[in-house]
Amino acid sequence: MKFSFPLIKRFLPLVKNKAQIIEALTMYAFEAEDSIGNSFEVNLPPNRYADVSSHWGIAKELAAIFDWFVDYGGMKKLPVVDFIKNKLSVNKKKNLDIEVWDHKLCPRYTACYLEGILIKDSPKWLQDVLIDCGLRPINNVVDIMNYVMLEMGQPLHAFDVDKLEGGKIIIRWAKRGEKMITIDGVKYDLTPEILVIADAKKPVAIAGIKGGRGPEVSETTKRIIIEAANFDSVSIYKTSKILGLVTDASVRFSHLLSGELAILGLGRSAYVLKDLFGAQIIDYFDSRKKPLPKHILKFDINKFNKFIGTKLKCEEVGAYLRRLGFRNVLKDEWEVPILRTDIENHEDVIEEAARLQGFNNLKPQAPKVNLVPATEDDVIILKEKARCALASFGVDEVYNHSFVAKKDLNLVGVKLDGAVELENPISQEFQYLRPSLKPGLIANFEHNSKFFNDFKIFEIGKIFNRNGKRIKEYNSFGILFASKNKETFFPLKGVMNSFLKSLGVIDFIFAPENSSKLAPFQENSALKLEVDGNVIGYLGKFADVFKDWQVSISELDFDKLLESIESEEEFQPLSKYPAVIRDISIFVGKAVQIGDLMQEIELSNKELINDVDLVDEYFDSKRSNKQSLTFRIVFQAKNKTLTSEEVDREMDKIISLLKRKFGVEIR
Amino acid sequence: MDLEQIKKSAINEINNASDVKLLEGVNVKYLGRKGVLTNILRSLKDLSMGDRRKIGPKANILKKELEDLIGKKKNSFINFSKDDLFFDVTKPGLKISSGHLHPLSKIDAEVRKIFLSMNFSVVDGPEVESEYYNFDALNIPANHPARDMWDTFWLKSSGPAKSKFLLRTHTSPMQVRFMETHNPPFQIIVPGRVFRYEATDMSHEFNFYQIEGLMVGHDISLANFKFIVEEFCKKLFGPKIQFRFRPSYFPFVEPGLEVDIKLGSGSWLEVMGAGMVQRNVFDAVRYNPDEVQGFAFGMGLDRLAMIKYKIPDIRLFYNGDLRFVRQF
């Protein structure tokens, strides 16, 4: 909200410059910053509109901070017309015929009837204040409505009495089908939950938001009614949203103003009109017959000190409260300033005193706590472990947005009703919550392929899907290897092997998976990763859409991975006896899978066979239907040195097994 | 050529050999299969017994001598030889490719480590939230302008739904979720991704990371908050850091504060919103607000990383560019 420095200076002649104000407000009240010319900007918190969305309010706040008094031009307080003292009594039949139909949505409606209005320009100083605050001067009456709003915070509206049908004002709900054109010429369709100000026939203003065409003040206006009302904040907020109409008035009313501000604002606007332009105050109306109740709160200095962590005396804190306009009515009882609708409980009072003392001046204090071992959630520990393991394998980490486009759903084979759609996406590119990390990784691949020929990336993040009404989110792990011309599937498989082992996943197997139904993998080039019979993810070669590039990708359900972790590392006694290494070279049909051969060899004697490895592989053009493979088998016993004969026997066993089961030939 | 001549020229050539290649040439010339000395030794069998006895031992001694000299010279190449560049220690080391962690992962790890050292536990929470946890329970009622402080991504519901779902606009819902299932005293932090419906620019992203903090006990005060935050910032940014604590407003804390830091002669940088947990939040989790008190804070992890690593543009975190990631 914009403020005019010269107007503040009228209230606080001691104030030096804008910088002084900005610093004081920022450190003791709320954020403020410089603006062009004579104005400065205040970032008003929602709870302070009631008392400081005005120059008067800001001046009072600054006076409290500096421990000054506000200057009212020699008066004790801001000069207003005191209607009761002036014995102006309600005479509604004559001048003011006002009805309030809903006292909940309109807790207070006050109005003042003035005659002898002469429309002209307002004085320059007043116009300047409006301009400083971003408003446009129009004529003296409208300008004073705006000026008093800026000065005191109460939105006001002036009606030309002669243009009000039946001379009547009714605060009622709009009728179904009723329309209204606002003073700026925009037409609005009204609905019955919208509160309007109407004359005998039609709405003349959307209550608390904007005036309508018709009874607005014009060149010829002679007699006016000023409205200063108080409206239900929720109702104004909702109406403003429904109509898409935000005004100075609607913003203020949405923040719950005090009903007392209405009568003060009315009195002030009448005073200024009389003072500057000699308008005659004839009559007034107030829908509220009794004064607002006083708001008294108890203040407990011990609670204050315990809450803030200070050892202040009651008088010290009391002084801060007094500066803010609180009145000590009894020993520990304080009356809350009438405009402060935000002060409801003891903590509200504590906050006021504490900030005026200055949070910056508070001494830090180590908390006294019982030591309980601090822990981290398992998923956080595993994420960190996974990240470090992958970095050590040379894989770089990326972060992607949580949103994807419709085409990304197709890419990973997710149906529309299985995806979570945003009601208000930033754009079509970010319309759905990502159901997989793959689209992001593939986008990263495309981007980085412009700069690198060979790279490996991973991401750990949340993915989302929908099952009917239920929206589910999972932690996911995705990894992509890309290389220009070089094969990436087996490097990725190898890293995944080591990665899983390093996390403590023991019993996992990669099993071939029919990839035709598994987007976005190539035919016959996908594996599923199983732990204890549960599929926790897939690994595959990416469909060949990238020229020259070989791209392999894997995505695992990180939550399931977490459940699959079996144990911490455990020491295995080192064998005291030497290992014997034998190679076996074979020809075997192309259709035979290497994984099956290796498994067969391993299972032939689990006790003695320590490791099996594929060390050579080639295709002979002369034997086009065969593959030539060499396996290296490591034999080792825990309790003795294996003799050559014993190993020979094992080898014979393996050879006959392989011959029988797979029809291999020994090379 | 007699042996003396051979010896002289061989030694001369060995001394002059300036690298291993040349030395190997000398070796081949004299001691190789068709080398000068080898030929003499091989021709011994054709000589008379007398000549054989005269030349044989001498030739064998010379062979041994030359082998030793060549060996020594060879070693001198392998050991550090000043005027020989064969072993150039200034050549680059073998490139070992290691992966790079994302800067947000790095700063996240660092932040967690600091808080763990101050006895804070680390808790995880969901990114999809209900309106209740993200707003209502945090004293941000519907139809109140305070809610406009958070621009929210709403999720489409399939069919009529009782409550609406959204992407959490802050990590604060975890305050409520944690307190619903735990009793004070405790102190936790909650790192996580949050979302705001807003246009991206150098300092705004529609998804980013926050770290929430919550410490509740019977006498946890605002002065305690200052201590914890100052200790944390000093550990993260170094002891010379300056602080500024100023009033602010968040509906779920009271008093509400913001913390600015200043590094060196720079300007004030806003890093954290915080305050004492508001009574209505305690009410929502069925704590007795007259018996417990504590503080909560939230800071932008991206912002901390930008300050610490001097990263000018938040969008660099989310575009997956390895030229960026590999700097960390």
Side-chain angles (χ1 to χ4, degrees):
Chain A
M1 192 174 280
K2 269 187 161 184
F3 289 87
S4 162
F5 176 70
L7 186 51
I8 296 290
K9 177 106 180 151
R10 277 167 77 123
F11 284 120
L12 298 170
L14 286 175
V15 82
K16 286 193 206 94
N17 49 36
K18 287 198 282 180
Q20 186 191 18
I21 292 177
I22 289 161
E23 166 78 12
L25 290 178
T26 300
M27 290 313 294
Y28 294 94
F30 24 72
E31 255 179 294
E33 59 188 16
D34 203 0
S35 184
I36 47 159
N38 273 325
S39 50
F40 62 95
E41 193 87 38
V42 174
N43 188 4
L44 276 185
N47 63 333
R48 298 298 303 276
Y49 271 73
D51 73 313
V52 287
S53 62
S54 68
H55 288 72
W56 181 41
I58 292 288
K60 282 189 290 181
E61 191 68 25
L62 286 166
I65 294 167
F66 292 125
D67 201 7
W68 291 344
F69 288 100
V70 179
D71 187 328
Y72 297 112
M75 312 272 207
K76 263 191 177 165
K77 53 183 191 174
L78 192 63
V80 296
V81 173
D82 189 328
F83 298 102
I84 295 168
K85 253 191 203 159
N86 287 350
K87 297 195 177 129
L88 286 159
S89 61
V90 181
N91 185 356
K92 29 178 187 179
K93 287 301 153 211
K94 196 177 166 200
N95 300 310
L96 286 162
D97 188 358
I98 296 171
E99 284 174 38
V100 178
W101 286 14
D102 188 331
H103 288 276
K104 200 189 152 283
L105 295 188
C106 178
R108 191 169 201 178
Y109 194 90
T110 73
C112 180
Y113 171 63
L114 298 100
E115 287 184 352
I117 299 294
L118 185 62
I119 298 297
K120 52 176 158 178
D121 284 347
S122 43
K124 179 153 187 319
W125 67 264
L126 195 149
Q127 291 194 358
D128 286 345
V129 169
L130 298 184
I131 292 166
D132 284 348
C133 299
L135 296 179
R136 191 166 51 89
I138 294 167
N139 60 47
N140 53 352
V141 173
V142 174
D143 288 356
I144 285 169
M145 297 305 110
N146 283 330
Y147 171 78
V148 174
M149 175 181 75
L150 295 174
E151 193 192 49
M152 294 194 81
Q154 170 66 37
L156 300 159
H157 192 70
F159 297 103
D160 185 329
V161 177
D162 298 310
K163 290 188 220 155
L164 280 174
E165 297 259 5
K168 208 171 170 150
I169 288 176
I170 307 168
I171 296 89
R172 61 162 169 88
W173 317 279
K175 292 173 192 157
R176 205 168 288 282
E178 241 174 354
K179 295 181 194 334
M180 206 196 76
I181 297 171
T182 50
I183 35 179
D184 52 355
V186 184
K187 193 165 143 192
Y188 290 93
D189 294 323
L190 306 174
T191 52
E193 59 265 30
I194 295 174
L195 197 69
V196 296
I197 315 298
D199 61 14
K201 284 197 169 162
K202 59 180 187 309
V204 293
I206 303 167
I209 300 183
K210 199 155 194 158
R213 267 200 184 155
E216 78 263 33
V217 172
S218 68
E219 303 281 303
T220 57
T221 299
K222 298 278 182 295
R223 311 186 291 156
I224 59 169
I225 288 174
I226 303 173
E227 163 198 299
N230 185 254
F231 297 108
D232 177 66
S233 56
V234 171
S235 155
I236 298 289
Y237 180 82
K238 278 182 170 170
T239 305
S240 172
K241 287 255 150 139
I242 291 168
L243 297 177
L245 181 59
V246 179
T247 62
D248 271 338
S250 76
V251 169
R252 288 162 196 271
F253 284 126
S254 297
H255 285 88
L256 184 62
L257 301 182
S258 163
E260 191 64 11
L261 194 60
I263 193 75
L264 284 170
L266 187 73
R268 179 65 181 163
S269 58
Y271 179 91
V272 178
L273 266 172
K274 184 181 169 208
D275 190 42
L276 292 181
F277 299 102
Q280 296 143 31
I281 301 158
I282 308 294
D283 205 348
Y284 93 106
F285 170 86
D286 187 348
S287 72
R288 188 171 179 95
K289 305 300 170 211
K290 282 183 263 172
L292 285 171
K294 282 179 181 163
H295 189 190
I296 312 281
L297 282 174
K298 281 202 175 184
F299 179 77
D300 182 336
I301 184 67
N302 295 323
K303 274 191 186 170
F304 175 93
N305 281 327
K306 186 181 164 205
F307 203 64
I308 302 297
T310 45
K311 285 176 184 142
L312 291 178
K313 289 201 190 77
C314 203
E315 304 84 71
E316 292 172 90
V317 179
Y320 291 128
L321 293 178
R322 273 196 194 87
R323 271 153 65 176
L324 286 162
F326 287 78
R327 215 163 57 85
N328 196 193
V329 286
L330 256 174
K331 209 167 165 248
D332 57 350
E333 287 181 3
W334 292 78
E335 184 188 338
V336 178
I338 190 100
L339 298 186
R340 297 219 48 181
T341 57
D342 62 312
I343 306 287
E344 289 174 339
N345 55 43
H346 194 251
E347 285 80 11
D348 296 328
V349 184
I350 291 180
E351 174 172 42
E352 289 306 294
R355 73 174 169 88
L356 209 60
Q357 199 222 352
F359 295 133
N360 226 22
N361 307 323
L362 180 63
K363 228 177 114 201
Q365 224 173 70
K368 289 188 194 113
V369 289
N370 292 327
L371 280 180
V372 181
T375 56
E376 289 189 286
D377 274 2
D378 289 345
V379 65
I380 291 171
I381 297 173
L382 187 66
K383 273 194 219 170
E384 174 147 5
K385 231 174 149 179
R387 284 184 177 125
C388 294
L390 288 157
S392 75
F393 298 140
V395 191
D396 292 322
E397 187 180 23
V398 293
Y399 280 38
N400 284 296
H401 286 129
S402 297
F403 308 119
V404 296
K406 203 186 236 176
K407 67 170 168 54
D408 296 318
L409 301 182
N410 299 334
L411 177 74
V412 293
V414 171
K415 293 205 181 86
L416 283 189
D417 63 357
V420 185
E421 190 179 354
L422 291 172
E423 199 174 275
N424 53 337
I426 289 272
S427 71
Q428 286 202 336
E429 205 187 332
F430 305 112
Q431 198 177 348
Y432 294 89
L433 292 186
R434 57 181 176 187
S436 156
L437 298 177
K438 293 186 201 99
L441 292 172
I442 290 161
N444 300 147
F445 155 69
E446 286 171 8
H447 177 75
N448 286 299
S449 65
K450 288 180 247 166
F451 314 109
F452 304 97
N453 288 327
D454 194 73
F455 53 90
K456 302 175 254 186
I457 53 175
F458 77 95
E459 179 172 10
I460 301 173
K462 288 270 173 75
I463 60 169
F464 308 83
N465 67 28
R466 174 189 287 285
N467 190 350
K469 279 194 175 179
R470 290 188 55 167
I471 294 168
K472 280 189 161 181
E473 68 177 80
Y474 310 84
N475 287 294
S476 189
F477 163 77
I479 182 165
L480 178 147
F481 280 24
S483 180
K484 211 165 186 173
N485 301 320
K486 266 192 268 169
E487 210 288 303
T488 52
F489 182 90
F490 295 103
L492 176 57
K493 190 181 175 186
V495 162
M496 290 299 282
N497 255 307
S498 306
F499 169 62
L500 292 167
K501 279 182 194 154
S502 76
L503 295 187
V505 183
I506 314 280
D507 285 322
F508 62 88
I509 50 167
F510 283 108
E513 176 73 2
N514 176 9
S515 51
S516 55
K517 57 176 183 189
L518 254 191
F521 297 124
Q522 236 179 69
E523 195 86 19
N524 292 325
S525 51
L527 290 170
K528 62 180 173 204
L529 175 66
E530 279 181 23
V531 183
D532 286 337
N534 293 317
V535 177
I536 68 166
Y538 298 92
L539 185 163
K541 219 166 164 172
F542 215 75
D544 253 344
V545 284
F546 314 111
K547 219 178 156 193
D548 303 339
W549 282 85
Q550 301 250 17
V551 179
S552 297
I553 196 163
S554 176
E555 186 166 9
L556 305 182
D557 182 324
F558 202 72
D559 297 323
K560 282 191 190 159
L561 188 66
L562 181 63
E563 290 163 23
S564 311
I565 287 167
E566 275 189 6
S567 63
E568 296 296 313
E569 292 92 343
E570 201 174 276
F571 173 73
Q572 297 289 328
L574 307 176
S575 178
K576 282 179 250 169
Y577 307 98
V580 179
I581 297 169
R582 292 285 172 90
D583 285 358
I584 173 171
S585 295
I586 58 169
F587 286 120
V588 67
K590 263 184 176 172
V592 174
Q593 293 190 319
I594 294 168
D596 292 342
L597 291 166
M598 290 174 69
Q599 198 181 11
E600 198 60 45
I601 297 170
E602 263 167 42
L603 294 179
S604 72
N605 192 332
K606 274 183 156 178
E607 285 293 302
L608 296 186
I609 296 177
N610 204 330
D611 193 24
V612 182
D613 230 344
L614 176 71
V615 290
D616 191 29
E617 175 189 19
Y618 74 92
F619 292 99
D620 190 338
S621 51
K622 286 177 216 153
R623 293 165 169 266
S624 57
N625 58 340
K626 300 262 179 182
Q627 49 184 336
S628 169
L629 305 169
T630 301
F631 295 106
R632 178 157 296 164
I633 308 169
V634 180
F635 296 92
Q636 191 171 37
K638 293 197 174 82
N639 51 2
K640 60 174 181 176
T641 302
L642 288 173
T643 63
S644 192
E645 291 74 34
E646 280 170 312
V647 177
D648 286 345
R649 263 208 304 283
E650 290 301 320
M651 288 299 286
D652 288 345
K653 207 166 98 191
I654 290 167
I655 289 164
S656 66
L657 257 175
L658 295 183
K659 275 185 175 164
R660 195 171 42 158
K661 284 206 169 172
F662 303 100
V664 308
E665 290 170 52
I666 302 302
R667 234 162 61 207
Chain B
M1 231 180 346
D2 69 13
L3 285 174
E4 277 310 305
Q5 267 178 314
I6 291 170
K7 184 177 178 177
K8 218 171 158 188
S9 64
I11 288 175
N12 199 29
E13 283 174 46
I14 289 168
N15 285 342
N16 288 338
S18 57
D19 64 33
V20 161
K21 247 186 178 160
L22 291 171
L23 188 68
E24 192 51 37
V26 179
N27 191 32
V28 170
K29 182 175 172 188
Y30 293 97
L31 302 175
R33 241 164 14 107
K34 290 175 182 170
V36 179
L37 194 58
T38 314
N39 281 343
I40 289 174
L41 284 165
R42 203 174 282 149
S43 64
L44 283 176
K45 62 181 189 315
D46 304 328
L47 296 179
S48 66
M49 196 55 114
D51 282 348
R52 219 187 287 175
R53 282 212 179 123
K54 206 168 87 187
I55 299 169
K58 275 189 185 163
N60 271 320
I61 286 167
L62 182 58
K63 187 188 172 197
K64 186 91 190 23
E65 202 173 340
L66 293 182
E67 276 172 358
D68 281 356
L69 279 172
I70 288 169
K72 265 186 201 158
K73 179 87 178 185
K74 211 177 217 166
N75 279 337
S76 81
F77 287 135
I78 290 162
N79 292 329
F80 305 111
S81 152
K82 240 186 198 168
D83 43 25
D84 197 288
L85 290 178
F86 170 68
F87 193 79
D88 183 354
V89 291
T90 67
K91 277 201 294 193
L94 192 66
K95 282 221 170 83
I96 303 295
S97 72
S98 98
H100 299 261
L101 293 188
H102 194 279
L104 289 175
S105 292
K106 285 187 116 164
I107 194 125
D108 173 70
E110 204 168 338
V111 169
R112 282 188 287 114
K113 197 174 140 195
I114 296 170
F115 277 107
L116 276 170
S117 79
M118 294 195 287
N119 210 230
F120 279 67
S121 288
V122 187
V123 181
D124 191 48
E127 291 176 10
V128 168
E129 262 300 357
S130 66
E131 201 172 355
Y132 174 77
Y133 284 110
N134 197 74
F135 291 127
D136 302 279
L138 288 167
N139 195 34
I140 313 167
N143 297 312
H144 190 279
R147 223 181 239 207
D148 298 342
M149 292 165 75
W150 294 269
D151 294 314
T152 310
F153 279 115
W154 295 93
L155 302 183
K156 264 196 186 164
S157 48
S158 60
K162 252 185 258 156
S163 68
K164 284 179 86 178
F165 286 93
L166 49 83
L167 293 174
R168 62 175 171 188
T169 57
H170 44 192
T171 39
S172 309
M174 272 307 288
Q175 287 186 28
V176 181
R177 286 185 179 275
F178 187 85
M179 287 195 282
E180 277 180 343
T181 51
H182 296 79
N183 281 318
F186 59 77
Q187 52 275 353
I188 57 164
I189 59 163
V190 189
R193 186 175 275 208
V194 301
F195 305 83
R196 296 279 168 88
Y197 178 77
E198 59 189 5
T200 57
D201 61 27
M202 277 175 75
S203 44
H204 296 90
E205 257 291 358
F206 45 70
N207 58 216
F208 57 98
Y209 284 81
Q210 276 190 345
I211 295 227
E212 189 80 9
L214 179 67
M215 180 167 194
V216 179
H218 295 285
D219 52 6
I220 300 302
S221 69
L222 193 64
N224 295 155
F225 161 73
K226 275 191 86 168
F227 176 86
I228 294 288
V229 164
E230 290 194 1
E231 286 304 304
F232 164 73
C233 289
K234 279 181 205 162
K235 283 196 175 119
L236 190 66
F237 291 110
K240 281 185 186 156
I241 185 170
Q242 288 173 271
F243 297 95
R244 198 167 80 160
F245 293 80
R246 54 186 174 77
S248 188
Y249 174 76
F250 307 98
F252 40 98
V253 287
E254 181 171 32
L257 291 84
E258 261 168 281
V259 184
D260 300 339
I261 59 165
K262 196 184 205 170
L263 305 169
S265 56
S267 51
W268 287 108
L269 304 165
E270 191 183 310
V271 290
M272 182 185 297
M276 297 295 284
V277 179
Q278 224 270 355
R279 142 185 297 270
N280 293 345
V281 180
F282 284 145
D283 278 337
V285 299
R286 293 167 202 282
Y287 283 5
N288 183 347
D290 294 318
E291 280 173 14
V292 296
Q293 61 184 54
F295 61 78
F297 59 83
M299 46 191 167
L301 196 63
D302 305 56
R303 189 152 170 77
L304 294 183
M306 288 168 82
I307 295 169
K308 192 167 169 69
Y309 304 130
K310 301 188 173 69
I311 296 167
D313 191 332
I314 190 172
R315 291 169 295 193
L316 287 166
F317 289 129
Y318 302 99
N319 68 5
D321 193 325
L322 292 179
R323 293 173 301 169
F324 169 74
V325 172
R326 286 184 180 172
Q327 294 182 23
F328 298 93

